[in-house]
Amino acid sequence: MSRPRLRRALRRALAALVPLAFVSALPAPAHAAPTAAAAWPEPVPVVNHVQTTDPVVFVTIDDGWYHDPAAAKLLLDRRVPASLFLLPGAYAYDSGYFHTLLDQGPSRVENHTVDHPDLTTLDAAGQRAQVCGAREAQLAEFGDGARLLRPPYGTYDATTLTTARACGAKAVVTWTYDMTTWGQWTPPTPALKAGDIVLLHFNETVEQDLRRALAAADAAGLRPAPLRDYVPES
Ligand SMILES: [Zn+2]
């Protein structure tokens, strides 16, 4: 679909949400209606853990700067359906690394903005440029539009939640545990529970961090599952 047609389709989809917003506002007092109308498009939910009884955990890997072949091999060998929250700059110079992960395994690319700003420092237009810009770059490179937005640093405000909707996301996703080794510091391995979201980064220790996360999942009797499929359409 061309971009103008995509935009028109998106606008139609967003317009369809407006009656829903009013329907959901019906049981509320009449004076609540303007508030519902002001929050347009409807904000997406924030997810740091998925409510599920399935024995699953979610592996998410951010940024994408360090293209470790051993980590890619581990993801493919174990068939890990990882959510890759990539920055366009981190695949622009070597998109083949991620094409291999997407083409040969069950991982998906999700939205982490264009330039990794703290979105709460930007106005609505600035946030939209960061989030919709990343989605368009991913569509152009991978032919797959992100459905999840992870705001850099996990910081977001009310504008982020409506911007995410306008840019095709169904949720803002943070995390339950950050298992990234930062410098010399490796965080303690948590006792994972069903529905937990693990955060890793494509850095120099990504393979070891991924092994620790998969071992923690194994120890808890949990299997990695595709986060996009477990976040309900909202
Ligand atoms: Zn990041």
Side-chain angles (χ1 to χ4, degrees):
M1 198 184 289
S2 70
R3 281 185 192 172
R5 285 184 62 190
L6 180 69
R7 284 208 192 91
R8 278 199 297 277
L10 184 61
R11 242 181 251 128
R12 275 198 302 276
L14 290 173
L17 290 170
V18 174
L20 285 176
F22 281 110
V23 168
S24 63
L26 274 181
H31 61 78
T35 308
W40 188 91
E42 207 173 320
V44 298
V46 179
V47 176
N48 66 5
H49 170 95
V50 173
Q51 288 300 332
T52 178
T53 54
D54 292 354
V56 294
V57 289
F58 305 99
V59 174
T60 69
I61 316 180
D62 282 14
D63 300 349
W65 295 115
Y66 187 72
H67 302 174
D68 182 4
K73 184 173 187 310
L74 183 55
L75 286 169
L76 293 174
D77 286 352
R78 289 282 305 259
R79 304 284 305 165
V80 178
S83 303
L84 312 179
F85 291 86
L86 301 181
L87 299 165
Y91 56 75
Y93 59 90
D94 171 24
S95 62
Y97 181 82
F98 298 107
H99 276 290
T100 299
L101 284 177
L102 301 185
D103 294 348
Q104 298 181 17
S107 293
R108 305 295 286 269
V109 176
E110 303 293 358
N111 198 327
H112 198 41
T113 75
V114 174
D115 298 312
H116 210 270
D118 176 347
L119 288 170
T120 65
T121 66
L122 303 179
D123 63 12
Q127 291 203 29
R128 196 177 173 108
Q130 285 290 330
V131 178
C132 283
R135 175 184 169 81
E136 287 177 17
Q138 287 172 350
L139 268 173
E141 180 62 53
F142 300 109
D144 185 22
R147 300 299 322 282
L148 308 173
L149 168 65
R150 172 166 283 151
Y153 318 105
T155 58
Y156 58 88
D157 58 19
T159 300
T160 311
L161 304 185
T162 54
T163 301
R165 174 87 64 195
C167 300
K170 59 181 171 180
V172 159
V173 174
T174 57
W175 55 89
T176 319
Y177 296 108
D178 184 353
M179 293 185 70
T180 308
T181 297
W182 293 108
Q184 299 297 312
W185 189 75
T186 300
T189 299
L192 295 175
K193 294 188 178 63
D196 283 347
I197 299 171
V198 171
L199 168 63
L200 305 173
H201 287 78
F202 280 103
N203 60 10
E204 288 78 356
T205 57
V206 62
E207 186 208 359
Q208 296 96 295
D209 291 346
L210 178 59
R211 283 191 189 283
R212 274 191 309 117
L214 295 176
D218 288 343
L222 305 171
R223 63 182 161 78
L227 181 54
R228 189 189 291 194
D229 297 351
Y230 271 84
V231 172
E233 298 293 331
S234 58

